[in-house]
Amino acid sequence: MEKKFDIKKFLSNNAIIILIALLALFVGFTTKNFFTLKNGTNLMLNVAPRFIIACGVSGCLITKGTDLSAGRQVGLAACLSAMLLQSVDYAARMLPWLPNIPWFVALLIVMAIMACFGAINGCIIAFLKVPPFIATLGMQTIVYGLCSVITNNQPMGGYKESYLLVAKGSFGPLPFLAIFAIIIGAFFWFLYNKTRHGKYMYAIGGNENAAQVAGVNVTASLIRIYILASCMYALGGFLVGSKAGGASTATGNGYELEAIAACTIGGVSANGGVGKVSGILVGVLVFEVLKICLQFMGVDPAYTYIAQGLVIIIAVALDLRKYLAKK
């Protein structure tokens, strides 16, 4: 027997997405230059690194975990990228002894370093059974402290042109940042839907004890998930640094909350076992469209934070309501 389409349930489950879409239409028809190619490109450039970061967080959420260190890891990755990719003739170079290295080599080095933080997070959660909230909150503070020490709290700039081109360049009409996001999105879709790792991840999120009894190596899976998450923060930080043209200890501040909220809006349940890559993209788009709409409406940036906070609370409340309804 075919299920009837429940419009009330659809509106309830997608309330935030529908409201932001209506807001975008309202702003588009009442302000100038909203529906333009330039604004669309700007949206794409903002979405790309945040989508990559949200993909990293999604695996943690699907297994009933979280990662509060994401934003600070993004900041550290941006600062490490800055150190490695400052122009060799830049007067205030952080590492004057470092030879000229290609940007992709620097990216691999940054990803390898950040993977170590992910491995530590995973081991603390998997072996010591420390709740992910506490483990990653501690890591957040540690990473911020390390970032302050290695940068001496100095903002960094003077990047070589090849690094800046990563954010500024495009392949036809498609910016390089969007290409990175498309590749990562395709990779995560394949990982979540077509591999054993993906099946294990959803099984752990659904019922960790049942997954263990069924032969899933929960410990190894969790460690892999947090390592992959940190690699995504590394890539996100690398791209954020290139886009901004500079980095400091403030880079990435609050990104973890945006990523968690975007995942939740996009249907990745904080109660575990549920989530799609397409949903993550929708969630990130909703958040960025909200920001752009408020900018076009001339809203004070301080009120933008209030709006974002309300969206986070409503998203989690709706997710919890869906979970309780299923139970």
Side-chain angles (χ1 to χ4, degrees):
M1 192 175 173
E2 230 177 278
K3 277 189 178 181
K4 282 186 179 179
F5 177 70
D6 190 340
I7 191 161
K8 190 179 175 184
K9 190 178 177 183
F10 175 80
L11 290 171
S12 172
N13 290 346
N14 299 284
I16 294 174
I17 296 168
I18 293 164
L19 286 171
I20 300 299
L22 291 171
L23 177 64
L25 288 171
F26 170 76
V27 173
F29 289 120
T30 56
T31 61
K32 289 181 179 178
N33 303 322
F34 186 79
F35 293 124
T36 60
L37 182 62
K38 187 181 177 183
N39 196 35
T41 304
N42 184 43
L43 176 64
M44 211 185 294
L45 294 174
N46 287 335
V47 163
R50 285 169 171 82
F51 171 64
I52 292 167
I53 295 160
C55 282
V57 171
S58 68
C60 309
L61 293 173
I62 289 168
T63 52
K64 286 186 182 173
T66 190
D67 195 345
L68 297 181
S69 67
R72 290 306 183 188
Q73 288 197 53
V74 168
L76 178 58
C79 289
L80 290 172
S81 301
M83 288 179 165
L84 295 170
L85 291 168
Q86 286 179 311
S87 183
V88 287
D89 55 0
Y90 183 59
R93 201 174 180 216
M94 290 289 287
L95 303 174
W97 46 266
L98 191 74
N100 191 13
I101 58 173
W103 65 262
F104 56 87
V105 173
L107 174 58
L108 291 174
I109 292 168
V110 172
M111 288 180 85
I113 293 168
M114 299 315 299
C116 298
F117 291 101
I120 294 166
N121 270 340
C123 288
I124 291 169
I125 292 161
F127 288 115
L128 302 180
K129 305 299 179 188
V130 175
F133 179 88
I134 301 299
T136 59
L137 182 63
M139 184 57 75
Q140 180 192 73
T141 312
I142 291 166
V143 170
Y144 180 61
L146 282 171
C147 192
S148 298
V149 169
I150 65 169
T151 62
N152 201 25
N153 284 316
Q154 296 296 315
M156 287 173 286
Y159 296 162
K160 61 175 75 174
E161 194 57 36
S162 60
Y163 181 35
L164 293 171
L165 192 65
V166 172
K168 289 193 296 186
S170 62
F171 186 74
L174 204 60
F176 288 155
L177 286 183
I179 294 169
F180 274 102
I182 290 166
I183 292 168
I184 294 300
F187 168 75
F188 270 84
W189 179 88
F190 181 80
L191 184 72
Y192 285 6
N193 295 286
K194 303 293 180 183
T195 67
R196 189 181 295 175
H197 173 81
K199 289 181 175 69
Y200 286 176
M201 181 184 68
Y202 286 108
I204 293 166
N207 189 321
E208 188 177 319
N209 292 331
Q212 201 149 25
V213 170
V216 174
N217 189 336
V218 174
T219 302
S221 295
L222 287 174
I223 292 168
R224 279 197 297 269
I225 286 163
Y226 281 89
I227 289 173
L228 180 60
S230 288
C231 288
M232 292 304 102
Y233 310 150
L235 177 57
F238 178 88
L239 297 177
V240 165
S242 173
K243 182 174 174 288
S248 71
T249 50
T251 304
N253 186 28
Y255 275 36
E256 68 282 350
L257 297 179
E258 282 187 26
I260 292 166
C263 287
T264 308
I265 292 165
V268 179
S269 178
N271 295 296
V274 179
K276 292 180 180 178
V277 173
S278 56
I280 299 165
L281 179 59
V282 169
V284 175
L285 277 168
V286 163
F287 234 75
E288 291 308 310
V289 168
L290 172 64
K291 283 190 221 170
I292 290 173
C293 285
L294 293 175
Q295 283 171 9
F296 269 81
M297 290 166 73
V299 175
D300 189 299
Y303 289 104
T304 304
Y305 286 111
I306 294 170
Q308 287 175 309
L310 288 170
V311 168
I312 291 169
I313 292 166
I314 295 165
V316 175
L318 288 172
D319 176 56
L320 189 60
R321 188 169 167 273
K322 282 189 277 185
Y323 175 71
L324 293 171
K326 279 181 186 176
K327 285 193 83 177

